[in-house]
Amino acid sequence: MKLIIHGGFFSESSTNHETKIAKQNALERIVKDSYAFLKTHSALETVVYAVSLLEDDELFNAGIGSQIQSDGKIRMSAAIMDGETQKMSGVINIEEVKNPVQVAQILMQYDDRILGGSGATNFARENGFEPFSTEIPQRRVEYEAKLKSLGTGTVGCVALDTNGKIAVATSTGGKGFEIPGRISDSATVAGNYANASCGVSLTGVGEDIVSNATAAKIVTRVTDGFTLQDAFIKTFNELKPYDGFAGAIAIDNQGNIFHKDSHPSMVFASFDGDKFEVFD
């Protein structure tokens, strides 16, 4: 069993020492809690559990603490993918839902598995998700002062369970001040992808990640025989011509864990029941 999570880029908010320690502690708590969950649950159930915990922590830009768009509203996106069945489900620009990743989980049961805008929000209401404001005072202050973030806030998880199955989940609160209707990479195969060979979750500038089809490329290359490290190196080299801003976490079906960012510094943590690693 292996697990790795990310919480976006450290540069998305205050970079003081207190914030760094708080994020390290939060990631350690969440990755270890999620690993304990993984012991008795599938990879797919675990990535939803882990990303829900990340969405519930206002240190990260997903769920509670999501960024405010240019019209003053918060719209979020999230997706999950089951490496065994190759099914992906997600929501794009959903509003007033505490845990978008849990809405994505329910959509996995439907033929229409990716919903956007009011359709996603209405689906959530019909399935018992009560209206919930994910705004925190910090985001309102940033919005009112028109302080644009770097757009590098997303959370994600990749898990390998006891049966050797891989799953991935990704959730984002957006980059902040974007045009309403803008679609991030998180609910696309560029930012969230898995099959029986590998699972990858991305964070960074969505437009750069989509332009490079980053997650799908890494997974495809591992499937075609690349080592996980070599797949990362080749794919991240393809970001360089346009200085693409991205960070990724991954696990392959051999239990190899890998992470990489094109610009410092993605915040992440991994745990396999013995070895724990967190960003420094």
Side-chain angles (χ1 to χ4, degrees):
M1 297 190 303
K2 300 288 179 75
L3 192 73
I4 185 168
I5 61 175
H6 71 71
F9 278 82
F10 188 54
S11 55
E12 78 181 67
S13 59
S14 172
T15 55
N16 60 42
H17 183 68
E18 289 75 16
T19 301
K20 179 179 180 180
I21 295 300
K23 289 194 172 188
Q24 288 174 331
N25 290 340
L27 290 171
E28 179 175 4
R29 169 180 55 81
I30 291 169
V31 78
K32 290 184 175 179
D33 284 353
S34 300
Y35 184 84
F37 186 88
L38 179 60
K39 290 180 179 179
T40 55
H41 295 82
S42 69
L44 188 64
E45 292 168 326
T46 301
V47 295
V48 173
Y49 178 82
V51 169
S52 294
L53 293 179
L54 288 160
E55 289 175 336
D56 290 344
D57 194 318
E58 65 181 45
L59 282 169
F60 306 107
N61 175 23
I64 297 172
S66 292
Q67 295 280 358
I68 301 173
Q69 297 190 352
S70 60
D71 62 351
K73 294 183 178 181
I74 292 173
R75 298 178 180 88
M76 301 162 287
S77 297
I80 62 175
M81 189 162 182
D82 185 337
E84 181 186 26
T85 64
Q86 293 257 242
K87 284 186 177 181
M88 182 179 184
S89 60
V91 291
I92 297 171
N93 289 328
I94 195 169
E95 297 182 43
E96 293 192 317
V97 169
K98 184 181 180 184
N99 294 109
V101 73
Q102 294 178 16
V103 184
Q105 182 182 31
I106 292 176
L107 276 166
M108 187 67 81
Q109 307 166 28
Y110 290 77
D111 291 333
D112 301 330
R113 292 194 296 271
I114 297 180
L115 300 181
S118 60
T121 303
N122 291 339
F123 177 85
R125 300 289 177 262
E126 291 167 0
N127 282 273
F129 290 83
E130 298 295 328
F132 184 94
S133 174
T134 56
E135 181 181 313
I136 60 173
Q138 176 190 339
R139 299 302 188 207
R140 179 55 57 178
V141 170
E142 291 171 350
Y143 175 76
E144 291 177 351
K146 296 184 179 180
L147 297 176
K148 294 189 177 182
S149 78
L150 290 176
T152 53
T154 304
V155 302
C157 177
V158 185
L160 173 69
D161 65 24
T162 54
N163 295 314
K165 296 177 181 179
I166 297 169
V168 58
T170 310
S171 180
T172 185
K175 66 179 183 178
F177 302 95
E178 60 265 62
I179 297 171
R182 179 252 184 188
I183 294 173
S184 77
D185 65 288
S186 298
T188 75
V189 296
N192 187 88
Y193 198 71
N195 66 10
S197 299
C198 181
V200 179
S201 174
L202 267 291
T203 181
V205 176
E207 286 74 10
D208 293 350
I209 293 167
V210 168
S211 293
N212 191 44
T214 309
K217 277 185 178 179
I218 292 172
V219 172
T220 299
R221 283 167 173 159
V222 172
T223 304
D224 288 345
F226 278 63
T227 66
L228 190 56
Q229 180 173 341
D230 286 347
F232 263 77
I233 290 171
K234 183 171 180 60
T235 305
F236 270 72
N237 281 341
E238 291 165 351
L239 288 163
K240 290 181 179 179
Y242 53 94
D243 194 29
F245 199 127
I249 58 173
I251 301 177
D252 67 18
N253 59 8
Q254 302 302 306
N256 296 306
I257 297 177
F258 201 77
H259 58 84
K260 185 176 179 61
D261 47 33
S262 62
H263 296 66
S265 296
M266 178 180 64
V267 305
F268 71 92
S270 64
F271 190 55
D272 63 6
D274 180 31
K275 182 182 178 182
F276 167 72
E277 183 183 7
V278 69
F279 79 98
D280 57 23

